[in-house]
Amino acid sequence: PAKYGILPEILPASRLVKANGTVEMLTLVAILAGNIAGSKIIDHLPALTCYAILLAIFGLSTALNVAMVRTPNDPSVQLRRSVGEFCSHGVSLISSPRLGRVLLGTTLFWICGAVMKMNFQPFGLKTLQLPDNTAIALLGLWLSIGVMIGSLLAGQLHEVGDLRATRRYGIGLAVFVTALGVSGFIPALLAMKVQIPVLGPQVLPIVLLLIGAGILAGVFLIPLNAALQAESDPEKLGKTIATQNFLENLAMSCGGALVLVATKSGATAPHIFLGLAALLVLAITFLRFPPRAEAQPQPTP
């Protein structure tokens, strides 16, 4: 709620798409820095040293949080009533003809991200034959670079509430994920490795496919986030963001369960990519957004 809920409070609605793109980009920069640096230190330092570094980072984070200006407490907010409001507001959002589909779209993004991240380890080790954790972590780098590019492009291409291209972006993402899965069965493509300074050996076709998938994922997500913030009840924005986060974390947990079941059933990493692409296509068939006016009728006097 703090990350996304604050944007409509400090910015006009017309700037929400660009603001969401910037926030998403900075978030991914932070994730990438931790992912790649963590892989580097675990490959070269003892485990206890790695944990000490992690605790130091958490300590710095805690200190920065303590230094923040506190939001005034609202004594009228009570846990039992707040939970009830959260549940009723969540039901109304999910049942909304437009915002319910927006939530489906954002949830789909995160389930896709979770499955891909979990699948990178077996894909890198067994399919791409990458040498170490650092090389495997770089698979996430290429995907995230694409998401950052897509996040910035979304702010330039779309106004707030413009979701006309969302389904096309989703189908394009499914195409790239399908290509990732198919490439795992083509030895000639997997042999096209390039040596990137500092980063080491990488499979060029996979790098390009991951960047392309990330770009489409970014332009898919950012307009959805902005629409949810701009079109939901401003008095219940915190509950809206909380509902979004709850559904997205639930979806990521389901994604983990799907990967577990698929792996236990004998599916390889390319098979999991192909299954994810099929799931994307199936879900995107439901992403037909009604016009905004239909989603938010004016209350009768």
Side-chain angles (χ1 to χ4, degrees):
K3 176 181 171 184
Y4 290 115
I6 195 173
L7 294 180
E9 297 180 9
I10 62 176
L11 293 169
S14 60
R15 295 178 59 188
L16 283 178
V17 175
K18 292 182 180 180
N20 274 276
T22 302
V23 168
E24 203 65 42
M25 182 192 69
L26 293 175
T27 301
L28 289 168
V29 168
I31 292 172
L32 283 174
N35 197 3
I36 296 173
S39 300
K40 283 284 187 185
I41 65 173
I42 201 68
D43 279 337
H44 297 92
L45 297 176
L48 286 178
T49 304
C50 296
Y51 278 114
I53 293 172
L54 185 62
L55 287 172
I57 294 171
F58 273 117
L60 175 62
S61 174
T62 302
L64 291 172
N65 276 274
V66 170
M68 292 173 64
V69 176
R70 290 176 61 89
T71 302
N73 179 50
D74 185 354
S76 66
V77 176
Q78 298 179 351
L79 178 60
R80 178 176 297 180
R81 188 176 69 181
S82 183
V83 170
E85 290 174 352
F86 166 76
C87 293
S88 61
H89 185 59
V91 170
S92 67
L93 282 174
I94 294 171
S95 59
S96 166
R98 181 172 165 93
L99 294 184
R101 287 173 171 82
V102 170
L103 284 172
L104 173 62
T106 62
T107 299
L108 191 61
F109 172 91
W110 288 105
I111 193 172
C112 182
V115 170
M116 292 186 74
K117 183 176 180 181
M118 294 174 195
N119 204 33
F120 280 158
Q121 189 78 11
F123 189 65
L125 282 176
K126 297 180 181 179
T127 305
L128 304 182
Q129 302 291 312
L130 296 178
D132 52 30
N133 289 316
T134 301
I136 293 170
L138 289 174
L139 296 175
L141 168 67
W142 309 123
L143 182 67
S144 298
I145 285 175
V147 174
M148 287 189 285
I149 295 171
S151 298
L152 294 176
L153 283 175
Q156 304 300 320
L157 296 175
H158 298 287
E159 299 293 333
V160 175
D162 179 11
L163 304 178
R164 292 171 296 175
T166 299
R167 296 179 75 241
R168 293 197 293 272
Y169 294 144
I171 293 296
L173 175 59
V175 169
F176 273 87
V177 175
T178 300
L180 281 170
V182 171
S183 67
F185 300 105
I186 305 176
L189 287 179
L190 302 182
M192 297 173 63
K193 292 186 177 181
V194 294
Q195 189 74 21
I196 300 178
V198 180
L199 300 180
Q202 293 292 307
V203 182
L204 182 60
I206 301 301
V207 169
L208 297 177
L209 287 174
L210 288 170
I211 292 175
I215 291 172
L216 286 162
V219 291
F220 175 83
L221 174 68
I222 299 306
L224 292 172
N225 276 342
L228 188 65
Q229 293 165 8
E231 298 177 26
S232 61
D233 185 349
E235 297 297 323
K236 298 180 180 179
L237 184 59
K239 295 290 191 296
T240 297
I241 303 301
T243 300
Q244 180 186 14
N245 287 345
F246 175 80
L247 292 175
E248 289 170 358
N249 281 280
L250 180 63
M252 286 188 281
S253 300
C254 292
L258 289 173
V259 172
L260 176 62
V261 170
T263 303
K264 292 293 185 182
S265 301
T268 63
H271 288 133
I272 291 174
F273 278 133
L274 292 174
L276 175 61
L279 176 64
L280 282 169
V281 172
L282 178 63
I284 287 165
T285 59
F286 295 97
L287 290 184
R288 295 183 180 275
F289 300 99
R292 181 173 178 177
E294 292 181 25
Q296 288 191 318
Q298 295 297 319
T300 55

